[in-house]
């Protein structure tokens, strides 16, 4: 029988020390060694999914092919292991409790009282094993959300402990990511918090096999020995993880520390050398000197990398592969709306503009002004979802002179709803899980920017929106110079819109950023940046 191997990744001392990147890097190494890898996040909160959460507080909502709304770690996983994940990759406490309570209502537990142990923990194990079974993976990496010692994570840790007993110690591994603070005054790196977080892990019956030691700077042999001694792991199983210039160095550094070999030994695998050439190439591309490319990101949450994580990653990787250094400029569209001179000046310094997705009215008028500027000045523009709707509204207002053109989302009582709610498309107006979600087929017409970028007539891209282009305006817009170059197979839904007389002004109803991978930049992100580079060659017009 096929025996899946399981690697649990826990975190200690602090949150935000790179547990997601650690899990993803281990995944990248094992995939590069030829194993089939599946990844899963165990999330502590009681929401069923991340769909209703504010990106400002929690980071972006990352959407999978099957429409599951997850958190940004799943983006790291997909970009690092270059596999599309599915709903089995994302498990929340809310989902666990919901499923248990539903079973209780059905009468599946008749005669029994329902308890955290064993019912909730059994459900956690069931979700882990389901993930393994449906993916038929060799190895499954499970990231346990939060930090050890958090009350909200206890059922996950208990389930993980039981997994080791039930699957056999040789089939389950625990990787603990911990932080070593550096005391400036004494010039010392401190291992005590790590020792204490391992004590916390042990108190729930888990002994780590590997400790990933996160530090700001170097870690010396003596610290490694100390951690090994007091946390009871082999010195070679303490993996140094100093800060790096780019996260793409992490798989390379882990492999230098022979993490693959340690895992192979534990699982009784033949040690296969991972092929990390693509990672080395990317790191080299990032580290070589190259001319800058100024790119505006005109959104609502400025300077908040996490709220637009996939967008910034997609821009940056595309830029690296074009041998340019991405310089992102966060443009606050509320300031643009107010006519803030500084903000306009910053926008005007940019060579390409990306208007990302968003919900609600805030900053929308500023975004429309940004789109107008891009259209009139022929600045390469990529609109993602809301950014595509904005581009169409701007065109309707300023080219077709439909002054009150807007979206139903911003003003439901307006007469000219260029973007509207299509009732057939949705199950209802309740907020959770009712958006148009996940990968859908899009047909692309030849002789378009979209086709020249994708070089394909059929693509599948991920969606997350409530409103659609209003087909009643389609022919009017097309006559005036817009092109709906991508549609659903039935032609009912407009998926890609572009402006014919423009070097590159294109908007997508979907989110291409979700399918941009570390070693395969997305064609549309590449295309908008290529257009910007092309434009540099033109004599400057005044
Ligand atoms: N708010 C818009 C809609 O619901 C756009 C959504 C988005 O950008 N993801 O259609």
């Amino acid at each position: 029988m096929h025996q899946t191997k399981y690697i649990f990744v826990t975190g200690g001392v602090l949150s935000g020390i790179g547990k997601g990147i650690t899990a993803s890097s281990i995944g990248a190494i094992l995939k590069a060694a030829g194993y089939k890898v599946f990844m899963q996040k165990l999330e502590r909160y009681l929401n069923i999914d991340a769909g209703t959460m504010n990106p400002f507080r929690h980071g972006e909502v990352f959407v999978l092919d099957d429409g599951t709304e997850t958190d940004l770690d799943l983006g790291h996983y997909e970009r690092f292991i270059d596999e599309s994940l599915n709903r089995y990759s994302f498990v929340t406490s809310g989902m666990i409790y919901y499923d248990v309570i539903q079973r209780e209502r059905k009468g599946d537990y008749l005669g029994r009282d329902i308890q955290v142990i064993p019912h909730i923990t059994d459900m956690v194990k069931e979700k882990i094993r389901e993930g393994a079974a449906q993916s038929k993976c060799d190895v499954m990496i499970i990231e346990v959300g939060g930090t050890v010692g958090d009350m909200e994570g206890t059922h996950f840790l208990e389930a993980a402990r039981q997994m080791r007993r039930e699957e056999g110690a040789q089939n389950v591994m625990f990787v603990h990511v911990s932080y070593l603070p550096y005391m400036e005054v004494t010039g010392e790196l401190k291992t005590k918090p790590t020792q204490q977080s391992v004590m916390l892990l042990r108190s729930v019956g888990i002994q780590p096999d590997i400790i990933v030691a996160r530090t700001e700077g170097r870690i010396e042999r003596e610290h490694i020995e100390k951690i090994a001694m007091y946390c009871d792991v082999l010195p070679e199983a303490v993996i140094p993880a100093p800060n790096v210039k780019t996260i793409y160095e992490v798989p390379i550094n882990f492999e230098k520390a022979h993490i693959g070999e340690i895992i192979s030994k534990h699982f009784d695998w033949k040690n296969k050398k991972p092929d990390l050439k693509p990672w080395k190439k990317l790191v080299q591309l990032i580290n070589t000197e190259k001319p800058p490319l100024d790119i505006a990101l005109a959104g609502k949450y400025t300077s908040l990398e996490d709220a637009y994580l996939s967008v910034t990653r997609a821009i940056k990787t595309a830029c690296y592969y074009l041998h340019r250094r991405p310089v992102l400029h966060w443009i606050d569209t509320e300031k643009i709306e107010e006519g803030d001179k500084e903000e306009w000046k910053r926008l005007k310094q940019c060579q390409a503009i990306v208007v990302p997705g968003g919900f609600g009215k805030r900053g929308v008028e500023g975004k429309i002004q940004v789109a107008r500027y891009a259209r009139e000045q022929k600045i390469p523009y990529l609109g993602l979802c809301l950014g595509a709707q904005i581009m169409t509204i701007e065109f309707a207002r300023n080219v077709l002179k439909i002054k009150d053109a807007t979206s139903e989302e911003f003003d439901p009582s307006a007469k000219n709803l260029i973007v509207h709610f299509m009732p057939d498309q949705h199950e209802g107006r309740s907020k959770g899980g009712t958006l148009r979600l996940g990968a859908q087929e899009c047909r692309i017409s030849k002789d378009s920017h979209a086709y020249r970028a994708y070089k394909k007539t059929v693509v599948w891209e991920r969606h997350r929106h409530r409103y659609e282009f209003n087909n009643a305006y389609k022919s009017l817009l097309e006559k005036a110079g817009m092109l709906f170059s991508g549609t659903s197979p039935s032609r009912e839904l407009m998926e890609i819109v572009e402006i014919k007389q423009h070097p590159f002004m294109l908007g997508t109803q979907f989110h291409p950023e979700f399918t941009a991978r570390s070693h395969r930049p997305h064609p549309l992100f590449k295309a908008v940046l290529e257009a910007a580079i092309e434009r540099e060659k033109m004599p400057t017009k005044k």
Side-chain angles (χ1 to χ4, degrees), residues 357-359 384-386 389 409 464-467 511:
F359 290 82
L384 311 169
C385 205
L386 181 68
Q389 298 175 352
E409 182 175 12
R464 181 170 188 258
H465 64 111
R466 195 178 306 274
Y467 299 91
H511 290 273

Side-chain angles (χ1 to χ4, degrees), residues 102-114:
Q102 277 195 326
R103 280 194 192 168
E104 185 273 331
R105 291 289 79 185
K106 258 180 38 212
D108 287 2
Y109 304 112
L110 269 190
R112 282 213 55 172
D113 49 341
I114 316 301

Side-chain angles (χ1 to χ4, degrees), residues 383-453:
L384 311 169
C385 205
L386 181 68
Q389 298 175 352
I390 292 285
M391 174 183 152
T392 322
I393 293 167
E394 186 281 318
F395 195 86
R397 282 194 194 171
N398 299 316
V399 179
L400 289 178
K401 307 287 178 217
I402 307 175
K403 286 292 163 214
D404 67 342
T406 188
S407 161
E408 191 163 353
E409 182 175 12
F410 317 139
D411 181 5
S413 61
K415 209 165 91 255
N416 287 296
L417 297 174
I418 305 291
V419 176
H420 69 163
F421 182 76
M422 272 171 85
D424 309 354
Q425 270 287 94
H426 303 274
E427 288 160 27
R429 290 207 183 216
S430 120
K431 294 273 192 255
T434 57
L435 297 173
R436 180 171 175 231
L437 288 166
Q440 315 259 343
E441 184 178 343
C442 167
R443 301 263 169 95
I444 296 175
S445 46
K446 291 199 171 167
D447 197 20
S448 64
H449 283 301
Y451 180 77
R452 282 188 288 278

Side-chain angles (χ1 to χ4, degrees), residues 236-249:
E236 55 270 30
V238 179
I239 307 291
N243 281 358
V244 278
K245 243 171 89 189
T246 135
I247 53 168
Y248 306 107
E249 284 176 46

Side-chain angles (χ1 to χ4, degrees), residues 266-480:
H266 186 100
F267 289 154
D268 205 12
W269 278 342
K270 243 191 11 257
N271 185 30
K272 292 195 259 175
K273 259 224 128 355
D275 174 12
L276 294 181
K277 271 197 243 58
W279 295 91
K280 290 181 186 153
K281 183 184 159 197
L282 180 56
V283 169
Q284 200 200 357
L285 275 175
I286 295 172
N287 289 338
T288 11
E289 270 301 309
K290 46 199 168 314
L293 193 66
D294 293 288
I295 305 143
L297 193 60
K300 182 157 67 172
Y301 312 117
T302 56
S303 314
L304 226 116
E305 183 104 16
D306 278 1
Y308 300 115
L309 193 68
S310 295
V311 178
T312 57
R313 290 270 188 272
I315 294 173
K316 287 181 186 169
T317 36
C319 210
Y320 298 138
Y321 284 97
L322 293 170
H323 302 280
R324 297 296 290 256
R325 178 165 56 83
V327 183
L328 282 183
H329 301 267
W330 299 83
I331 303 295
D332 180 344
T333 53
E334 281 184 298
K335 286 198 184 142
I336 291 288
E337 197 171 317
E338 291 156 12
D340 185 297
K341 284 209 179 67
E342 264 311 298
E343 207 65 1
W344 270 103
K345 200 170 131 204
R346 294 194 324 112
L347 174 67
K348 288 182 175 169
Q349 277 163 0
C350 293
Q351 297 167 273
I353 300 172
V354 177
V355 178
F359 290 82
K361 220 170 132 172
R362 222 180 89 197
V364 154
E365 288 304 318
K367 286 183 187 165
I368 293 176
Q369 290 184 34
V370 170
R372 178 176 195 167
Y373 162 75
R375 180 177 55 78
E376 291 180 345
Q377 301 304 316
K378 304 228 183 291
I379 312 294
Y381 173 107
L382 179 63
L384 311 169
C385 205
L386 181 68
Q389 298 175 352
I390 292 285
M391 174 183 152
T392 322
I393 293 167
E394 186 281 318
F395 195 86
R397 282 194 194 171
N398 299 316
V399 179
L400 289 178
K401 307 287 178 217
I402 307 175
K403 286 292 163 214
D404 67 342
T406 188
S407 161
E408 191 163 353
E409 182 175 12
F410 317 139
D411 181 5
S413 61
K415 209 165 91 255
N416 287 296
L417 297 174
I418 305 291
V419 176
H420 69 163
F421 182 76
M422 272 171 85
D424 309 354
Q425 270 287 94
H426 303 274
E427 288 160 27
R429 290 207 183 216
S430 120
K431 294 273 192 255
T434 57
L435 297 173
R436 180 171 175 231
L437 288 166
Q440 315 259 343
E441 184 178 343
C442 167
R443 301 263 169 95
I444 296 175
S445 46
K446 291 199 171 167
D447 197 20
S448 64
H449 283 301
Y451 180 77
R452 282 188 288 278
Y454 278 112
K455 300 181 181 64
K456 276 188 202 161
T457 51
V458 178
V459 296
W460 285 79
E461 292 281 10
R462 298 180 188 176
H463 294 70
R464 181 170 188 258
H465 64 111
R466 195 178 306 274
Y467 299 91
E468 304 280 352
F469 290 116
N470 185 345
N471 289 336
Y473 293 89
K474 183 171 175 258
S475 65
L476 262 178
L477 289 163
E478 288 204 319
K479 268 190 210 119

